[in-house]
Amino acid sequence: MAKTFVLGGTGLLGFQTIKELLAKGYEVKTIARKEKLMNQLMPEEVEKHLGDINTLSDQKIVELLRGCDSFVYAAGVDERTIPETPAEKFYYEQNVLPTQRLARVSKRANVKKFVIHGSYHVEFAEKWQDLNLFETEAYPRTRKLQEEIAFMEGGNEMDVMALRLPYIFGTMPGRTPLWKMFLPQVEGKDVVPVLQGGTAMVTVKQVAEATVGALENGEHKKSYAICGENMSYAEFYKIIAEALEQEDTEIKVVPLEQMKPSFQKADEKLAYEGKERAIHAAQTAEMQNRGAYLDPQETMPVLNYQEDDIKEAIIESIKKAVNC
């Protein structure tokens, strides 16, 4: 029976991926820093280890990975973190270097498949070249480097695949949904201004299914931008308002020119404080004025993930966030 090591097993994506792997008959091994949380979350059949993998020696990691055929990298830092300037240094150290090391050590441990949970910002940095996102924004640049350096570490001995993940909805025990940060934009508001664009979305279950699909069907050095459904920001915020029982809240689409100055001021304020966003707010405005849409049929048949109820997952996430 195949055995998979999941890094980040007590996080939203890793937890659901472990459940999916077990359901598909895989053996699973993981490591976590918080013993109580790990024991609360992990099913009995998971082989559990206590510790921080980034503090272990290469040899200790090789021993930890003994018997594992595959590795799922469901860890790292997303774009919500606002580090000190320069953001590029922070994301390079947090996402690129650990991935490079673990890919190299995994290959040494005879792991044959390595899947990274990455970001769809790389996909649109490649498509929207007029925005120069790779040149100006730390997050897509370092996420792209994370993929490329892991591909190179895999060489001809270990297949490395990346999932480029869009907006993700779903819940898990003991965790506050990240979408709590959206609540102040809607709670108690009569009018919520939004830009005219939209985004691809998936449920956490679809991410887990796609991860197993990448292990089973993925091609080495291939990135898969997955999608379950595309939705405008107007529709998304309307669902949030409805989940908050604010039926009379107006979701108003406004021009980029009207919204962008406030985004630019937010960048200026952070710069004054010595901080920098993973993606500058002014660039975020430009991006949200476009449709960051993907075709599910480009990846769904390949990775064998299924359709799911995105709206229900959004509502579930918002309602849990309200109660946390």
Side-chain angles (χ1 to χ4, degrees), residues 104-244:
R104 181 187 303 130
V105 177
S106 293
K107 183 174 67 175
R108 179 178 157 191
N110 294 317
V111 168
K112 298 303 180 187
K113 304 276 186 177
F114 192 99
V115 174
I116 303 164
H117 285 170
S119 172
Y120 82 149
H121 287 300
V122 180
E123 188 79 7
F124 288 99
E126 291 173 348
K127 290 182 177 180
W128 297 339
Q129 300 215 359
D130 60 305
L131 294 182
N132 297 315
L133 295 172
F134 286 135
E135 289 73 25
T136 65
E137 308 306 316
Y139 195 67
R141 182 161 64 251
T142 52
R143 281 296 198 180
K144 175 69 170 177
L145 182 56
Q146 179 189 32
E147 292 182 0
E148 291 180 341
I149 209 160
F151 292 160
M152 288 187 282
E153 290 292 349
N156 296 321
E157 301 168 55
M158 182 177 72
D159 291 345
V160 181
M161 289 72 64
L163 297 185
R164 294 178 172 177
L165 304 178
Y167 279 35
I168 305 164
F169 297 94
T171 61
M172 67 173 290
R175 292 276 187 179
T176 300
L178 62 88
W179 303 107
K180 191 176 182 70
M181 65 182 181
F182 281 75
L183 299 186
Q185 300 175 49
V186 183
E187 279 185 310
K189 301 291 178 64
D190 295 324
V191 179
V192 177
V194 298
L195 290 162
Q196 68 178 354
T199 180
M201 298 178 173
V202 289
T203 67
V204 66
K205 180 170 175 54
Q206 288 177 312
V207 174
E209 291 173 346
T211 301
V212 177
L215 291 174
E216 295 178 346
N217 304 312
E219 296 180 26
H220 182 34
K221 298 185 179 181
K222 179 86 173 177
S223 299
Y224 299 91
I226 71 169
C227 172
E229 183 177 331
N230 295 300
M231 186 179 295
S232 69
Y233 291 114
E235 184 180 356
F236 172 49
Y237 278 93
K238 185 64 176 175
I239 293 172
I240 295 176
E242 290 172 355
L244 295 173

